[in-house]
Amino acid sequence: MRLLLVRHGQSEWNAARRLQGQADIGLSELGKSQADTLRPVIEGIAPCRTVASDLKRVRQTSQHLGVDAPRLSKGLREIDVGDWTGRAIADIRKEDEEGYQGWRAGTAVPPGGEPWSDFADRVSAAIEDERREPCTNLLVVCHGGVIRALLQRYVGLQPAHIIPVAPASLTALRLGNGKSPRIELFNYRPDDLDFGAPD
């Protein structure tokens, strides 16, 4: 099985560099365009089915990718960032740089937030449920944190060693065939590179 992991396009909050967590916000106009640009790539791969987070920005990304009825999963929601939801990253860092960097590394939890290990358990359980039904190319439309969690669980890349993937980018993992899971593609965008991920 190949997991085709697509991060949603730029949300209404991305441009302002605000943490989204599980806020149910939509795509910006740029985010819609980003997903439209990725659509021919996804159509060319022809996934056997699609599973997606049930949050609005992911549902909208799925539509712009040409997916009519993805299987929606609460298990694929972004990590809950608790009291940091909607706050500007710059403000959080000014207030608690050590806590922010620890959260990025998966070792600290925002006030009222979800621990990284619980999040990674939730996300990987959702994918393992999907793996029970045969599928060659499974499209997973989700959030950046979900992709980082899956890279940790399947190939051992720790969150501290991964820059967040770009909006409307494609990452692919190959699972099964008697071999260890492998990264096949990382952070691919058909139109340009994006080096602006928050560190």
Side-chain angles (χ1 to χ4, degrees), residues 6-45:
V6 172
R7 183 190 164 184
H8 62 78
Q10 183 191 71
S11 77
E12 296 166 349
W13 287 2
N14 276 144
R17 303 273 189 180
R18 294 163 66 189
L19 282 187
Q20 300 162 90
Q22 295 188 4
D24 200 19
I25 52 180
L27 292 178
S28 67
E29 290 305 310
L30 175 58
K32 294 172 185 176
S33 175
Q34 290 168 333
D36 288 338
T37 300
L38 187 60
R39 180 175 179 160
V41 175
I42 299 303
E43 289 178 338
I45 298 171

Side-chain angles (χ1 to χ4, degrees), residues 84 96-110 116 159-160:
W84 288 359
D96 186 5
E97 177 70 17
E98 184 177 340
Y100 176 80
Q101 293 302 336
W103 170 72
R104 278 282 181 214
T107 59
V109 182
W116 177 266

Side-chain angles (χ1 to χ4, degrees), residues 123-146:
V123 167
S124 55
I127 295 301
E128 287 303 306
D129 283 346
E130 291 296 324
R131 290 184 70 190
R132 292 189 179 96
E133 185 179 336
C135 178
T136 302
N137 292 312
L138 175 66
L139 178 59
V140 181
V141 188
C142 56
H143 309 269
V146 169

Side-chain angles (χ1 to χ4, degrees), residues 79-84 103 109-116 118:
I79 192 168
D80 185 348
V81 294
D83 294 351
W84 288 359
W103 170 72
V109 182
E114 181 178 18
W116 177 266
D118 292 355

